[in-house]
Amino acid sequence: MTTSDTSAPLVGPAPLVELDSVSKYYGNIRALEGVSLTVHAGEVSCVLGDNGAGKSTLIKIIAGLHRHDAGTFRIEGEETSLSNPRDALDRGIATVYQDLAVVPLMPVWRNFFLGSEPTKGAGPFKRLDVDRMRRTTREELLRMGIDLRDVDQPIGTLSGGERQCVAIARAVYFGAKVLVLDEPTAALGVKQSGVVLKYVAAARDAGLGVVLITHNPHHAYLVGDRFVLLKRGTMAGSHLREEIELDELTRQMAGGSELEELSHEMERAERK
């Protein structure tokens, strides 16, 4: 008679992306030092920090624009160092930057397939498959809950939030496993920010791992599962959602003890 060994720990799937004590230097300038980040399928990992905190450098490493100088970068458990953005895309990492790479006067469907246009016919009869692009764009946007009036309208006529959502739907359609969003709500009002966050949640629910770069703790807390706080290129905190409340996340993001010290200094100055 044999008994099964139940003492062995259960091992889940490897994170889609994992950075372990990653550092990046530009000469004598420390852009990042000892930063760790874990991205799981079906989760949103938020990276918070003010200007100069190192968020842009972190994006560039994940997107394949820059190589890290120290630490470990893994994709689905395999240690790697990306050579360029195409290498990142081939590994399933899509980055949507704040200044979206769109052609404002082109229709939505053309921007959706920009650089990856399907064709039909052969030889001298080869041409763009416009009907397929229109149909696919409409279907994919609807699948993400985006109901545009007309996919033939120039993408420049859409609101900033709608353009962000088209970029998210495009990344999902072209097979992204990891979606990196660079400050997607930074230039948007309250209503449009809510629209974008709704589609961030939709990408998460579709099984993608999402990296949300933001300086807004309220937006991060609405959709985030993990939070990494950066300050001057180093980690100022790392928390799971169940470990921290919004007020504490906001306090840490705002500087916490530094703000308290400043408040005391201001109080003394007023008394004088």
Side-chain angles (χ1 to χ4, degrees):
M1 180 177 178
T2 60
T3 58
S4 60
D5 181 10
T6 59
S7 61
L10 295 175
V11 179
L16 295 177
V17 166
E18 186 177 15
L19 278 68
D20 185 8
S21 299
V22 163
S23 301
K24 178 65 183 177
Y25 304 98
Y26 300 101
N28 294 326
I29 299 174
R30 179 194 68 184
L32 279 183
E33 186 165 17
V35 173
S36 298
L37 174 70
T38 303
V39 184
H40 288 276
E43 289 188 359
V44 179
S45 296
C46 300
V47 179
L48 299 102
D50 286 326
N51 293 336
K55 303 191 303 295
S56 295
T57 302
L58 185 65
I59 290 174
K60 289 172 182 175
I61 291 173
I62 299 174
L65 283 166
H66 291 173
R67 292 191 178 191
H68 58 289
D69 296 318
T72 306
F73 181 11
R74 300 185 188 92
I75 298 178
E76 297 186 274
E78 178 186 347
E79 187 171 343
T80 189
S81 181
L82 299 175
S83 302
N84 51 60
R86 172 52 62 183
D87 196 8
L89 281 170
D90 290 343
R91 301 293 297 272
I93 300 174
T95 303
V96 178
Y97 293 98
Q98 187 176 338
D99 50 341
L100 296 172
V102 298
V103 183
L105 296 180
M106 281 188 176
V108 173
W109 62 264
R110 189 66 189 270
N111 275 277
F112 192 92
F113 281 94
L114 195 62
S116 302
E117 294 87 348
T119 58
K120 60 182 178 180
F125 302 103
K126 188 175 182 179
R127 60 200 184 279
L128 293 178
D129 193 344
V130 174
D131 290 339
R132 177 183 169 190
M133 286 190 279
R134 283 195 179 108
R135 182 180 65 256
T136 301
T137 299
R138 187 176 293 107
E139 289 173 353
E140 290 302 312
L141 292 178
L142 278 173
R143 194 163 69 88
M144 291 289 292
I146 308 168
D147 188 7
L148 287 185
R149 296 175 296 278
D150 182 10
V151 295
D152 282 303
Q153 66 187 103
I155 199 168
T157 63
L158 302 183
S159 68
E162 288 172 327
R163 290 197 296 272
Q164 287 279 354
C165 297
V166 170
I168 292 171
R170 182 183 191 277
V172 173
Y173 174 73
F174 282 103
K177 297 179 182 178
V178 176
L179 183 61
V180 183
L181 300 172
D182 173 24
E183 298 273 10
T185 62
L188 304 179
V190 174
K191 184 176 181 181
Q192 287 298 315
S193 294
V195 169
V196 172
L197 292 173
K198 184 172 76 170
Y199 298 125
V200 170
R204 174 200 65 200
D205 294 343
L208 276 73
V210 181
V211 181
L212 176 63
I213 312 293
T214 182
H215 63 269
N216 191 316
H218 292 81
H219 291 172
Y221 204 78
L222 281 171
V223 296
D225 298 287
R226 300 168 183 268
F227 308 98
V228 170
L229 289 91
L230 297 183
K231 182 180 179 182
R232 297 174 187 170
T234 62
M235 290 182 66
S238 179
H239 309 280
L240 296 174
R241 183 184 180 85
E242 57 266 24
E243 297 173 347
I244 192 167
E245 298 290 336
L246 174 58
D247 289 346
E248 177 60 19
L249 184 67
T250 304
R251 190 189 76 82
Q252 291 188 23
M253 172 69 191
S257 58
E258 293 181 8
L259 279 181
E260 292 174 6
E261 184 178 341
L262 177 62
S263 177
H264 292 315
E265 290 178 0
M266 294 300 291
E267 286 177 5
R268 288 197 295 271
E270 288 173 0
R271 291 194 194 104
K272 294 177 182 179

